[in-house]
Amino acid sequence: MIDNDGSAPASRRRHVVRLAIFAAFLLAMFYLVAIAHVVDVEDVRRAVSSTGSAAPLTYVVLSAALGALFVPGSILAAGSGLLFGPWLGIVVTLGAAVGTAIVASLLGRRAGRTSARAVLGPARAERVDALIDRRGLWAVVGQRFVPGISDALASYAFGAFGVPLWQMAVGSLIGSLPRAFAYTALGASIANRSAWLAYSAIAVWCVSATVGAFAAHRGYRRWRRHSGKAQP
């Protein structure tokens, strides 16, 4: 029920403003870290190397945090390959990818979950919840395959819409595997001067990007078809 004093629209506007401020903050962080490069990844690699046998775990923790701050995952993964080689590097990269997904999702849920549901309204929020129950895991997996989309930004959005943490973790682990191999192997190929690693990385990246682009196009067409049917 909406009161005559317009309190419900005012409350909705407050949630819209809150989401806009959160989005502006994320965009500012993206600019500072991904474009202005206020974080020097080379300094991070040197700091990690100095930790000795704890370096893989240290890199997982730091990369998870830096990834949530929009340091490009490709750079972090390549750094993992440079430091740890192709095989241990892939494990480290996947651990960091899952960590970034969890951290960003938790922050997105904390900052935007209530406002997102308020803006959607009860009926749409229930439909979104039902859709997440059915396809949330595969939405996370599919997003990781689509080229050109920030995994951290998508994780913030998934968190705001209430995707469960287990879906974020498992979906990120599955969906990040091809690109984790590609970027980590590329970094390792630079350190090892291995041509086959470089060629394998490029081939896997091309295949995963093609599959992701095709899946995104098909999903968009399906969404347009369903939305067209839903209109009166």
Side-chain angles (χ1 to χ4, degrees):
M1 181 179 294
I2 299 176
D3 296 334
N4 293 331
D5 61 1
S7 59
S11 176
R12 189 172 186 271
R13 284 196 296 272
R14 184 171 68 251
H15 287 295
V16 171
V17 170
R18 181 179 177 183
L19 287 175
I21 292 173
F22 182 51
F25 171 76
L26 293 180
L27 289 175
M29 291 299 301
F30 179 81
Y31 172 79
L32 290 173
V33 177
I35 299 176
H37 302 294
V38 297
V39 176
D40 190 339
V41 178
E42 186 60 35
D43 289 342
V44 174
R45 286 200 291 264
R46 284 195 292 266
V48 169
S49 298
S50 66
T51 62
S53 59
L57 181 59
T58 303
Y59 199 77
V60 168
V61 174
L62 285 178
S63 293
L66 292 173
L69 293 175
F70 297 105
V71 173
S74 56
I75 295 177
L76 295 171
S80 177
L82 282 168
L83 286 173
F84 309 115
W87 309 121
L88 178 57
I90 291 173
V91 175
V92 171
T93 298
L94 286 174
V98 172
T100 293
I102 292 174
V103 170
S105 176
L106 283 172
L107 292 174
R109 179 185 292 266
R110 177 73 175 176
R113 172 69 167 155
T114 302
S115 294
R117 292 183 66 85
V119 171
L120 288 173
R124 289 182 179 177
E126 289 180 3
R127 288 199 295 269
V128 169
D129 288 342
L131 184 62
I132 288 173
D133 288 339
R134 295 195 307 271
R135 301 176 183 174
L137 172 63
W138 299 112
V140 178
V141 173
Q143 180 274 313
R144 263 45 180 183
F145 274 83
V146 178
I149 298 179
S150 167
D151 290 347
L153 190 60
S155 296
Y156 281 113
F158 283 134
F161 282 107
V163 176
L165 281 182
W166 76 266
Q167 292 186 357
M168 291 300 306
V170 176
S172 179
L173 179 65
I174 297 172
S176 298
L177 184 57
R179 280 192 291 172
F181 171 80
Y183 293 127
T184 305
L186 193 60
S189 71
I190 296 173
N192 300 336
R193 298 182 180 180
S194 173
W196 76 267
L197 267 179
Y199 293 145
S200 299
I202 294 171
V204 169
W205 187 92
C206 290
V207 171
S208 63
T210 301
V211 170
F214 175 78
H217 178 68
R218 184 177 180 182
Y220 176 74
R221 290 182 61 185
R222 182 180 299 176
W223 174 79
R224 286 288 302 272
R225 189 163 56 249
H226 288 173
S227 62
K229 292 179 180 178
Q231 293 179 356

